[in-house]
Amino acid sequence: PLILTKPTFRLLTRFPGAACAAHKATAFPALPEDEMTPTPTTKPQSILVVDDEPEICQSVQRCLVASGHKVKCASSGNEACRLLETHRFDVVITDILMPDGDGLDLMDACKKVVPTPRIVAISGGGKWMDGGFCLRVAHGFGAHALVPKPFTREQLMAAIG
């Protein structure tokens, strides 16, 4: 039997034609290169990093703190939404597929915050869909920058703009 995780099911129900590999080449064209690689900035920023994989949160946090940014981490979209209620962030870096509140819900919550933070979507995909598809969906939801996993420090720094 086919068993879908909750985040994968939510993405597939929002985008029924997304049922994986058969559609990724034809239904969802690649994004222009300029949308994948924004210009970097040197101004210290307040950044929220959201990923259900602790190693990714810790690695991204170390990189950003070493560059002078203030960083908070959350392990789910729901936890991140609670942080948005009490903290102001210049940038939100979020994974798309997470078990407890996905990155798309978080992106919707970010749009209600004033001023709206820059949204950077990161994804390596999941068991039933590839990362490129997840990032294209995130772009449709308003992500300002897209970074496929795995990524380099340079890609991350360019994306936070």
Side-chain angles (χ1 to χ4, degrees):
L2 178 64
I3 300 173
L4 297 176
T5 63
K6 185 176 178 182
T8 302
F9 176 77
R10 289 174 51 109
L11 271 178
L12 289 175
T13 55
R14 289 182 184 188
F15 302 92
C20 308
H23 294 279
K24 66 184 168 190
T26 55
F28 303 98
L31 290 170
E33 191 63 32
D34 62 334
E35 291 182 27
M36 298 293 286
T37 317
T39 54
T41 184
T42 56
K43 176 187 161 221
Q45 299 184 68
S46 175
I47 301 174
L48 174 60
V49 178
V50 189
D51 200 302
D52 58 321
E53 296 179 50
E55 304 82 24
I56 292 178
C57 276
Q58 293 165 2
S59 176
V60 170
Q61 182 178 31
R62 278 192 304 270
C63 173
L64 295 173
V65 167
S67 297
H69 301 290
K70 296 177 185 173
V71 180
K72 288 203 176 287
C73 290
S75 61
S76 72
N78 291 339
E79 181 183 352
C81 286
R82 288 190 295 274
L83 284 171
L84 282 175
E85 294 172 2
T86 58
H87 295 80
R88 184 191 168 287
F89 297 100
D90 301 308
V91 179
V92 173
I93 300 171
T94 184
D95 190 12
I96 302 304
L97 298 175
M98 295 179 286
D100 186 24
D102 63 37
L104 301 178
D105 290 335
L106 175 58
M107 290 171 58
D108 281 340
C110 286
K111 293 176 192 175
K112 297 173 185 166
V113 174
V114 177
T116 302
R118 177 176 178 79
I119 301 169
V120 177
I122 59 175
S123 184
K127 187 172 183 176
W128 303 108
M129 64 184 66
D130 81 346
F133 171 74
C134 292
L135 292 174
R136 288 188 290 278
V137 171
H139 180 257
F141 268 69
H144 299 102
L146 311 170
V147 182
K149 291 180 186 176
F151 49 84
T152 65
R153 179 187 186 285
E154 290 76 21
Q155 288 171 311
L156 179 65
M157 298 309 289
I160 65 169

